[in-house]
Amino acid sequence: MKNPFREHIIELFKRIIELRHHSNRINLVLKKDAEKYTKEGAQFYSGSSLIISDWTGPTDNGWEINFHTGISKFTEKEDYSNEIEKIISRECCLAFAQSFEALEKFLKDCAFEIMKKDGNDPIREKIYGGDQIYKYIRKSCGEEFLNFSKENNKNIHFKEFWTTISETRHAIVHSSCRLKNDKVSKSRDHFATFEYLFDYEKLGDDKLLIKLSYRQLDKILKHVAEFAYQIFKLIRLVRTGLKTLFDF
């Protein structure tokens, strides 16, 4: 009989390695491009303008009439390296956000399997994410969940880890990587977890700009995968009593 939990974590692992693989290539290509065009004697200039049409305005015999919005973006040689770092950071942040969504899906899939095994008739689409799915998994794993959280090789508390990556993912997706300080400063442990996982720049007194290099992304993706493995291991332990390392 197939282990459905194994299938779900393998799916998550494949998604994480895909995100890391693609991000690594983006990082290498962009850094080489910056090196090429900022060396002595090289010439570089890039510009973009936003051109749109009016859907409910006049046409030129059926052809759309485009006009300049007045919004443009220009990058000169002197600024190109900084621009590249911003692009890499943005892409790495988006890769992390997608890894979180894959982790959340994994937890939902696990919850669905647990509900089925307990004799319920769950509707997969009605299993909510966020704190609700975290609380369900924590409850399903009982006291062992708290034991794993209190004592592990990373000294990472599961709730603080989950809250930190959840709030950070939300800021990346919905606020252009701008995070309210109090979202990750609920306790000293919360902020320590945030500083351990993410780079950032202070924006005034109450906001942070999330920044990621590829090296930092690699670290985060590894932690996301390792956290998922702890959940997989906990479910196996609670359901079967087995606690073997790297058992798939």
Side-chain angles (χ1 to χ4, degrees):
M1 180 180 294
K2 289 184 177 180
N3 179 353
F5 300 103
R6 179 186 184 279
E7 293 178 12
H8 296 318
I9 199 168
I10 291 299
E11 180 184 358
L12 170 63
F13 285 171
K14 287 181 177 179
R15 180 58 175 150
I16 286 176
I17 199 63
E18 178 184 50
L19 291 167
R20 195 185 76 179
H21 183 71
H22 291 170
S23 298
N24 182 42
R25 190 61 190 157
I26 290 171
N27 179 66
L28 290 174
V29 170
L30 289 179
K31 282 187 175 295
K32 285 183 179 179
D33 200 59
E35 182 180 346
K36 175 182 177 180
Y37 287 108
T38 56
K39 65 183 180 181
E40 187 176 354
Q43 294 184 348
F44 179 85
Y45 179 82
S46 176
S48 301
S49 296
L50 184 60
I51 308 297
I52 66 172
S53 67
D54 182 355
W55 289 1
T56 55
T59 65
D60 181 7
N61 293 320
W63 295 91
E64 66 181 19
I65 300 175
N66 291 312
F67 62 92
H68 200 305
T69 62
I71 306 299
S72 299
K73 170 76 174 177
F74 304 100
T75 303
E76 298 183 355
K77 177 181 176 180
E78 294 75 16
D79 302 320
Y80 192 43
S81 290
N82 289 334
E83 188 74 12
I84 287 297
E85 291 301 323
K86 290 179 182 178
I87 294 171
I88 291 173
S89 178
R90 184 192 66 206
E91 292 302 313
C92 288
C93 284
L94 291 174
F96 155 69
Q98 291 176 75
S99 78
F100 176 84
E101 290 163 6
L103 172 63
E104 193 172 52
K105 179 182 182 300
F106 165 70
L107 297 184
K108 290 181 181 180
D109 289 337
C110 288
F112 181 69
E113 300 297 344
I114 292 171
M115 292 175 188
K116 286 196 301 182
K117 288 181 179 297
D118 288 344
N120 298 319
D121 187 21
I123 299 175
R124 176 62 177 77
E125 291 74 20
K126 290 189 177 182
I127 298 177
Y128 296 104
D131 284 345
Q132 289 192 40
I133 191 60
Y134 175 86
K135 290 176 181 177
Y136 179 84
I137 294 294
R138 182 186 66 186
K139 182 179 179 180
S140 298
C141 294
E143 287 297 316
E144 287 296 338
F145 187 96
L146 297 178
N147 294 335
F148 276 39
S149 177
K150 288 178 182 177
E151 295 186 17
N152 59 74
N153 298 332
K154 298 285 189 180
N155 293 319
I156 289 178
H157 297 156
F158 290 3
K159 176 59 177 176
E160 283 75 5
F161 177 81
W162 174 261
T163 300
T164 298
I165 63 173
S166 179
E167 292 289 1
T168 306
R169 173 263 169 197
H170 189 274
I172 288 170
V173 173
H174 299 289
S175 301
S176 300
C177 298
R178 287 166 173 78
L179 173 69
K180 289 185 177 180
N181 196 18
D182 59 6
K183 294 294 184 180
V184 288
S185 300
K186 296 178 174 65
S187 70
R188 182 179 298 178
D189 198 11
H190 279 88
F191 196 71
T193 302
F194 174 74
E195 284 194 307
Y196 171 65
L197 293 172
F198 298 92
D199 292 329
Y200 65 92
E201 175 186 332
K202 289 186 178 180
L203 300 175
D205 295 329
D206 64 340
K207 283 189 179 181
L208 307 170
L209 178 66
I210 304 160
K211 301 169 71 175
L212 283 179
S213 64
Y214 171 74
R215 179 176 294 183
Q216 198 75 6
L217 171 67
D218 185 27
K219 176 182 177 180
I220 294 169
L221 293 181
K222 183 173 184 287
H223 280 68
V224 170
E226 290 172 342
F227 176 73
Y229 182 72
Q230 294 307 300
I231 302 302
F232 173 81
K233 190 175 174 182
L234 276 164
I235 292 172
R236 181 176 175 80
L237 174 62
V238 170
R239 293 282 157 172
T240 67
L242 296 176
K243 194 177 181 181
T244 49
L245 187 63
F246 301 133
D247 182 21
F248 291 104

